Amino acid sequence: MALCLKQVFNKDRTFRPRKKFEPGTQRFELFKKAQASLKSGVDLKTVVQLPAGENLNDWIAVNTVDFFNRINLIYGTICEYCTERSCPVMSGGLKYEYRWQDEHKYKKPTKVTAPQYMNLLMDWIEALINNEENFPTRVGVPFPKNFMQLCKKILTRLFRVFVHVYIHHFDRITAMGAEAHVNTCYKHFYYFVTEFDLTDERELEPLKVMTEKICH
């Protein structure tokens, strides 16, 4: 199992290049602290809580970027099986369909295939987190007033990746021996977004039954 996980998750199979924190910055130190807590085996409900003395926006920013990297990696492991033929609609089973909308080409919610949605989503998030106006990295530069709403939108859309992967591709995850890894990442994500109210309850509905089994 460990060998299989190493083969799957240590390869450079991220769906997009990973966003990294600059060494020496406060954000980098906060990221290291978060990673150390994760590796120490501390309860995930505790790991997501704002560390004493830290700025809430910094904590949200660090975790949002980290979840983008990790979910990007999870999707990268199954993306060859998520094709326009196998997944002609971005969905979570028969009940949930996700349409794409942005500020540029798709100004109205538009039906797209799952791989199209993933490409559009990762491009959209990457542009946002690399924009200094949205995710400032220089000391003393304030976060924008809409920062929390922006992160809520990013995390809500990233949750949909979990929905699609769990409902349509979990057999592949299981076949790779990566089920425990993906479940841990999902639990961490779920505890984080619920701790800071970063996604609406209705968005969590597609995975409600599974969530009750592994997160409570």
Side-chain angles (χ1 to χ4, degrees):
M1 178 75 75
L3 178 62
C4 184
L5 278 179
K6 190 174 180 182
Q7 288 171 338
V8 171
F9 289 102
N10 283 8
K11 283 182 179 177
D12 186 20
R13 294 192 63 181
T14 47
F15 191 55
R16 285 284 183 278
R18 299 186 74 173
K19 164 81 174 178
K20 295 181 179 177
F21 300 100
E22 290 298 320
T25 62
Q26 183 184 1
R27 203 80 51 79
F28 179 73
E29 294 306 315
L30 202 53
F31 174 69
K32 281 202 305 183
K33 187 185 291 186
Q35 294 302 299
S37 294
L38 270 178
K39 290 174 184 175
S40 70
V42 175
D43 178 66
L44 287 171
K45 283 185 179 178
T46 306
V47 165
V48 300
Q49 293 170 3
L50 179 66
E54 297 294 351
N55 176 274
L56 177 60
N57 282 342
D58 275 324
W59 185 241
I60 300 293
V62 163
N63 281 280
T64 298
V65 171
D66 188 39
F67 282 125
F68 166 66
N69 286 334
R70 292 165 68 194
I71 294 168
N72 168 19
L73 179 55
I74 288 169
Y75 183 70
T77 65
I78 59 92
C79 65
E80 64 190 283
Y81 305 106
C82 183
T83 66
E84 298 198 354
R85 186 173 180 179
S86 68
C87 305
V89 175
M90 175 56 183
S91 62
L94 298 174
K95 193 175 177 183
Y96 300 95
E97 179 184 323
Y98 302 115
R99 300 193 172 195
W100 182 257
Q101 183 176 17
D102 57 34
E103 303 77 23
H104 306 293
K105 186 178 176 182
Y106 300 90
K107 298 198 174 177
K108 292 181 180 178
T110 306
K111 190 173 185 172
V112 293
T113 67
Q116 275 182 297
Y117 189 99
M118 300 299 183
N119 270 298
L120 289 163
L121 174 61
M122 300 307 176
D123 282 346
W124 176 76
I125 296 175
E126 200 174 15
L128 289 174
I129 64 180
N130 285 319
N131 185 331
E132 281 284 327
E133 290 184 7
N134 298 320
F135 281 73
T137 56
R138 295 189 301 277
V139 176
V141 177
F143 285 88
K145 289 180 180 178
N146 69 336
F147 179 70
M148 282 297 183
Q149 279 304 113
L150 188 61
C151 287
K152 187 169 184 176
K153 194 168 185 180
I154 290 172
L155 293 164
T156 294
R157 287 181 165 184
L158 281 174
F159 182 79
R160 296 170 182 177
V161 180
F162 275 121
V163 173
H164 186 74
V165 168
Y166 268 115
I167 293 175
H168 296 278
H169 301 291
F170 203 64
D171 56 334
R172 292 291 173 185
I173 295 291
T174 305
M176 288 182 232
E179 183 177 353
H181 177 94
V182 176
N183 283 349
T184 299
C185 185
Y186 175 75
K187 285 165 73 173
H188 186 194
F189 181 92
Y190 173 79
Y191 290 140
F192 181 77
V193 297
T194 51
E195 171 77 12
F196 299 104
D197 195 24
L198 290 167
T199 191
D200 293 332
E201 196 69 33
R202 62 185 174 82
E203 285 285 343
L204 303 175
E205 278 293 317
L207 297 180
K208 186 177 180 180
V209 173
M210 186 203 74
T211 302
E212 286 173 353
K213 285 182 182 176
I214 71 171
C215 294
H216 297 291

